[in-house]
Amino acid sequence: MIKTVAQLKRGEQGIIKEFAEDILPIKLLELGCLPGNVVELVQVAPLKDPIYINVNGSHIAIRRAMAQLIEIEIIDNSTFL
């Protein structure tokens, strides 16, 4: 199931597939927002922006608009239970 990082629910994980556009800050790429890495939604700010994600052990705050550019495939954890 393909979604974007902005559509994740708290605690949900996904594998980064590709970016909707080639306009991602270099800093996000340096912090591990690369295709193939696992991303998890940690927390959402009170006004729904920014969101806090975990990528490769780094907690990153990104704006919801930027999170909508990062496409992911949801990891179904129910199959492991």
Side-chain angles (χ1 to χ4, degrees):
M1 180 172 175
I2 301 293
K3 285 186 173 183
T4 65
V5 172
Q7 296 171 313
L8 284 174
K9 294 177 179 72
R10 191 171 178 182
E12 199 171 28
Q13 295 181 337
I15 298 173
I16 298 174
K17 285 296 177 192
E18 57 184 82
F19 307 122
E21 297 178 18
D22 292 336
I23 306 172
L24 268 189
I26 297 297
K27 193 65 172 173
L28 281 180
L29 299 173
E30 290 173 349
L31 290 171
C33 286
L34 298 168
N37 287 346
V38 176
V39 62
E40 175 185 3
L41 181 64
V42 176
Q43 189 175 358
V44 179
L47 297 175
K48 306 281 190 227
D49 202 9
I51 63 173
Y52 302 94
I53 59 173
N54 180 1
V55 181
N56 290 343
S58 297
H59 287 261
I60 307 168
I62 61 173
R63 295 209 174 270
R64 189 168 289 277
M66 189 61 58
Q68 290 174 340
L69 301 177
I70 304 171
E71 294 181 1
I72 58 169
E73 183 176 338
I74 299 297
I75 297 173
D76 187 10
N77 290 332
S78 64
T79 58
F80 299 112
L81 300 176

